[in-house]
Amino acid sequence: MSLFPATSTRLGWLIVWASFAVGIVAELNNETSPTHSFKSRPDLHAPILTIDLIKPELVTPGYIFLAPYRNLDPAPYIYDNYGNLVWSGAGSGGPKTAHAPRVCTLRARGHGVIMDQSYRVVKTVESAGAGASSDMHEFKLTPFSDGTTALMTVYQPRRYDLTANPRFNIRDGLGWIVEGVFQKVDIETGALIFEWRSLDHVDPFAAWTLPGTTDTSGDGLTQQTPWDDFHLNSIDKNADGDYLLSARHVSAVYKVSGVDGHIIWQLGGNSPSFEQTNFAFSYQHHARWISENATHTLLSLFDNASNNYNWTGSESSGIILSIS
């Protein structure tokens, strides 16, 4: 089988810039975190989104969704394609809506939130079992489920022997690792329907990000600083019931069986299932099915091409891939 990029959508026609503070600060600072100011909503401090260049005919209609967590008011925000604030999930007066966009779900730390068209919370969804709570990377209504189930990511620290491989830099005793977990949960009952765990299927040796090497990797020495070898950041499901997973720290996308969880194929990473001629991606996000039949698979992803410490390309890009 072979793989080639059907389309590489460079972010050249819509250049977006937003400045967020390096850490959460106690008072407003328009130099480190430029924010909007509204007379009607003085409680809102939404980040200013500056559009440097736009060609409307080349930009997909819709809205820009941001969820900055290192600015003055960590929250979800929605902007139009010209950088105007449409909706804010922060503020003491509660969320505010303009232009009446339709919204279904958003992520909060620890659980998923489902809202109606007026942004009123109608349901919260927790991860199942006695493990860690769900994290911020993915929460979505399961495709082809008629809205009865949800997919969510869970980052679960656990003890793990990291001494066997000198690359991990753990010399004595057991270390700590973050297991990438995803669950399919019944929205009404909270029952666990399907669960997948990275350590059952992917050896940590496949990691492109080693302990203590980046600001998100963790050093693996304590439960508070576990090594994030996998970094699961998106989940999708197709009509056949199989899943598409993106794992940033192994720079790979996986098709996973919805029956027993085994990996059907791997795209990218150390041991790809396909020949990738003159094409590479790394540290990606947001892998999504577009279409699939007996001979071809079409999917999209966002290629970061860098983790701020290592690079496989000079710029990030949105890519549509065809596998045949």
Side-chain angles (χ1 to χ4, degrees), residues 67-87:
Y69 62 94
R70 289 179 177 174
N71 66 309
L72 297 175
D73 284 335
Y77 297 93
I78 303 176
Y79 299 81
D80 66 18
N81 282 336
Y82 296 92
N84 299 309
L85 182 68
V86 174
W87 181 82

Side-chain angles (χ1 to χ4, degrees), residues 108-119:
R109 289 182 180 272
H111 59 270
V113 177
I114 301 175
M115 295 180 173
D116 63 16
Q117 296 178 20
S118 299
Y119 292 77

Side-chain angles (χ1 to χ4, degrees), residues 29 46 56 75 88 101 116 138 142 147-149 177 187 196 214 218-220 226 229 245 257 262 267 305 311 316 324:
N29 185 329
S88 167
D116 63 16
E138 184 77 276
T142 309
T148 59
T149 64
I177 201 167
I187 290 174
W196 187 90
T214 75
D219 58 22
D229 71 301
L245 310 183
S257 168
H262 81 273
L267 175 63
W311 291 263
S316 299
S324 60

Side-chain angles (χ1 to χ4, degrees), residues 155-191:
Y155 279 32
Q156 190 163 23
R158 57 177 289 186
R159 298 302 298 268
Y160 196 85
D161 184 5
L162 299 177
T163 63
N165 193 319
R167 296 174 68 234
F168 300 158
N169 201 32
I170 305 294
R171 298 289 184 261
D172 300 307
L174 293 175
W176 286 89
I177 201 167
V178 178
E179 186 167 31
V181 181
F182 86 83
Q183 296 182 342
K184 182 170 75 170
V185 177
D186 186 284
I187 290 174
E188 289 300 321
T189 67

Side-chain angles (χ1 to χ4, degrees), residues 107-112 125-127 132-136 152-154:
R107 281 292 297 117
R109 289 182 180 272
H111 59 270
V125 183
E126 305 282 348
S127 59
S133 61
S134 61
D135 89 306
M136 69 180 72
M152 57 178 58
T153 51
V154 178

